[in-house]
Amino acid sequence: MKVPILIPNIFNHPFTYDSDLKLKEGDYVIVPFGKSKITGVVWNEFEKKNNKNFTVKKVLRKLAIPSLKKNTIKFLNWFSEYNMIPKGMALKLLLLSSNAVEKISSEAYEQFKIDIKQNKIELSKDQKKCLKKMNVSNQKFRVHVLQGTTGSGKTMVYFEALKEIINEGFQGLILLPEIGLTGQFQNKFIEFFGFKPAVWHSGITKKNKEIIWSGIANDTIKVVIGARSSLFLPFKKLGLIIVDEEHDQSYKQDEGVTYHARDMAISRASFEDIPVNLITAVPSIETYDNVKKGKYSLSKLDQRYLNASLPNYEIINLNNTKLGSQSWIPKETIEKVKFHLEKNDQVLFFLNRRGFSPYVLCKKCFNSYSCPNCSINLVYHKKKQNLLCHYCGHKALLNRDCSKEGKCNFIFSGPGVERISEEVKKIFPTKQTTIFSSDTMNKKSSSKTLEKIINNEIQILIGTQLISKGFHFPNLNCIVVVDIDLSSQGHDLRGAEKNLQLYHQLSGRAGRTGKPATVYFQTYNLDTKMITDITNKDPDIFLQKELEIRRENNLPPFQRFIAIIITGSNETELEKEAYKFKSFIEGTVEGRVLGPVNAPIFRLKRMFRVRLLIRGRKSLKMQTSLANAVAKFKFPARIKLTVDVDPINFN
Ligand SMILES: [Zn+2]
Ligand SMILES: [Zn+2]
């Protein structure tokens, strides 16, 4: 018999094979492909155009793995169409390095065995109410949003919901935005359920990946906590998906195969016909819109755990003080911080800038340091003793001669966390301090540092946005935002939303155990809209206003955006091709084509970049019409095109 087999590569269609075996849709097989053997899956439809020039080859072997579910195949087909990714690449996301795992000894699964133990955790009245609302029509597809203040105990509510699903014999998936969180989160899970969940992200060992992949495929593993990619595991009996921190923009994968994991989780749930729960303190505009329209149901937890109250906000007017030339912390702030330290409160200085200084310039020759590969300044990292490009990783030494004579005489403009850390140490020499950024916290030693922070052995933290990501520091009751004016720079349609989310999450780190807490904003602009938005206790006021702005300006979620990034090493050729491409697709694509314009980061990794933006009605026609046009247009081999559906970053 003839069978269609999809193969994990760049082709958008299955290939036709011959087989004497009894094969059905979803079976994993080994087939010859070119000169090699490759894993494929029996697909649900044949290639549309019949290519008779190829000799039909034979399937070599069927793998002993429960077959992939029909609904999962439908989901992958839709995923490929929506995100404009070849079907073969969608399948590649599901397979394990293009392979499938056949046999694993049953002892290997032992470590993840389901063994729900009684816990002493008792849900509050409010939590119980939310759980009840969440569990309405739990047998089929529906989206429920659990909105609750940071620290209000949302996790316990969805753990309870998950427990019920597991007890009914189903599998569950919890998506988290940050891998760094899984450690603290895993402990919380074990405390509640009494057993170890399978944790899935790019950093786990190959052996563990094989165990989890096959355990999910044959239904011996019941719960996975994972990053974006766990959404593509071959679940046999998936019963519930939970997307924690659904507003978090790191759910959007920007590079390579681009997709939004939250949106894809909702669509997978819809194809599987199972419930999905979105968890957040402040919903994304998209989610908020769907709640307003009645598409998603909503429950709310307003009270913080143990009746802890949210932190107070205070504004420190930088116009009133004279700061020294290398100083960013005024007297007024020092007094406030002293007051907190005397009460044994932990203090955080927040600045969303890694390194020591973002801009290095020579006083004599006026040359600055910029990246040779990207149109971006190099950031000086004092600890590492080098200059670093945060986009391509280029490193340079701070060692240069002037064009005239002698060494350059450098000045450093603006602060990064390292610089603030130096100032803090000078002001509070007897206190223990640490920098909390991706440069310092992604190492093996970071769990020790975390422990010290939790035990208040470190009194002052200097942190970037990494610290806003769900950490629980019991003594942190004072946050100083070193320069909130920095956040209002940039022109991004989601700028206001991004800032609100960031500062809401950041504030949520403070006052978690019931002691009074304060967030201080240092600013020169007292009456910016941003400060009003952030300090407002009810985030719905912001969301409603922001939604109106989006509606008036025909921005997402009211229209769909598709970004096209065209890159090439020759600037003139790139521009010419971009205009040619634009006039080619205009008129055939469903939507308006804007651009081309130079990308904000015009040069990245030695390539020039221009952007086009297509905006139109929310319908799959937009993607299919564009895909047809792209397939017909021939770029020179030196020019590359990337498509990003529902873009978040416009760099
Ligand atoms: Zn660079
Ligand atoms: Zn110089």
Side-chain angles (χ1 to χ4, degrees), residues 371 373-374 376 389 391-392 394:
C371 179
N373 309 323
C374 315
I376 209 99
C389 172
Y391 287 85
C392 75
H394 174 85

Side-chain angles (χ1 to χ4, degrees), residues 106 234 527:
S106 50
D527 49 356

